[in-house]
Amino acid sequence: MSWAAHEFENYFIQKHLGTKVSFIAIAAGTSLSDFFTKKWVYSAADPPQFHRGWPGVGFTHSFIFGMVFALIALGVFRSRTWAVGLLIGQWAHVITDMCDTAGVMPFFPFSTEPLTIGMWKHAAVVGRHGDAAAYYSSLGGVWDFLWFVIVVLFARNVLRADYFRTVIVPADEKAWSAIGRWTRLSERGLLVLYRGYFIYGFARMVSWFLYARFDARTPLEAWWGSPSWVVANDLSSASAVEMVLRTAAGGVMFAAFWWLCWRLFVRRLWVRAGTPKGSLQPAVAAG
Amino acid sequence: MSEDRRDLLIYSAAIALYIVIGLFTKRLLSWNLAFLYFVVVIEVIPRTVRRLLGRRSAP
């Protein structure tokens, strides 16, 4: 699994979508998959199977899971900005989690073959602290750092106060004003909340890296498939070719399913939730 | 001191304190508590201090 990368991705996605999506929806989308699973992963009898497999709750790391929440946003709240934000955020989480050895089932239920590039080991089997030490001793930690650098180099403008004022709030004015009312925070406080994922991601990346180096004292093995001291935990014995073929077949069926849903009802929901092009207002209140 | 620089200092101090607390206690706050921590340390405490100092220096 990825750690701080999920937090940093939000800002990179935001940079490219501007007012077309709600930042809160992107952040909720990237958190969705683990929100329903992470609490129980470390106490599960077989953590990788539970977290990413089927049987298990691996369906939370599939594209269809994000689709369900996006459709709820579209159908119930009539908000395109939330639907797109949730979908893109959740899909980004799924794609990122393909990097570890447990992989994900992106096209569940059409394919239950875990798709993985095996960049680092899924190490939930050694407990939360062991998982952190393993992640920050492998390419996982490098992956987090890479996302941090990408945001700082290419998307740092989205962290500015004026960007928050002119893009983030107008894109989802209702939600931000509701948060302001509930928490009684000033604009500066809301800005801290907006930047929260970035500073939280950075703080825990540094904390866990230092924990791995000076407390757990695990060797730094920044190469493919590390760390060597964690047992391999691939969920499938299929070869790479089989994995690609099964996933491709699942992808074709998923695309056909998506097209059918679009024709049957999603297009109607999308039109109904329609916000005028260029509008800064979400369509939550429509109707 | 400019507002940007003051913000940078406060954010850096909050992150550093979070890391130190995490390393000493070997427990990191979950995301929701971490957000609460950052809002309190970065916004609520400095605002309260500014308000108190402002009140004290007022004629």
Side-chain angles (χ1 to χ4, degrees), chain A residues 128-129 184-186 188-189 191-193 195-197 199-200 202-204 206-208 210-211 215, chain B residues 3 6-7 10-11 15 18-19 23 26-31 34-35 38-39 42-44 47 50:
Chain A
R128 183 172 168 76
H129 283 68
R184 297 185 180 192
L185 283 173
S186 63
R188 280 171 58 87
L191 181 61
V192 176
L193 279 185
R195 290 170 173 164
Y197 268 115
I199 51 181
Y200 170 60
F202 176 74
R204 74 177 189 144
V206 174
S207 300
W208 284 123
L210 293 176
Y211 167 78
D215 199 324
Chain B
E3 198 169 333
R6 194 180 61 195
D7 273 2
I10 295 172
Y11 274 80
I15 291 171
Y18 178 89
I19 292 168
L23 288 175
K26 291 181 188 173
R27 279 180 73 95
L28 284 186
L29 300 172
S30 54
W31 70 269
F35 272 49
F38 284 121
V39 167
I42 295 173
E43 168 60 9
V44 178
R47 191 176 59 186
R50 272 198 304 272

Side-chain angles (χ1 to χ4, degrees), chain A residues 48 52 97 100-104 114-116 120-122 233-235:
Chain A
R52 302 286 180 73
D97 278 356
D100 67 39
T101 50
V104 292
L115 181 64
T116 167
W120 60 84
K121 283 183 182 146
H122 185 286
N233 45 29
D234 298 4
L235 297 180

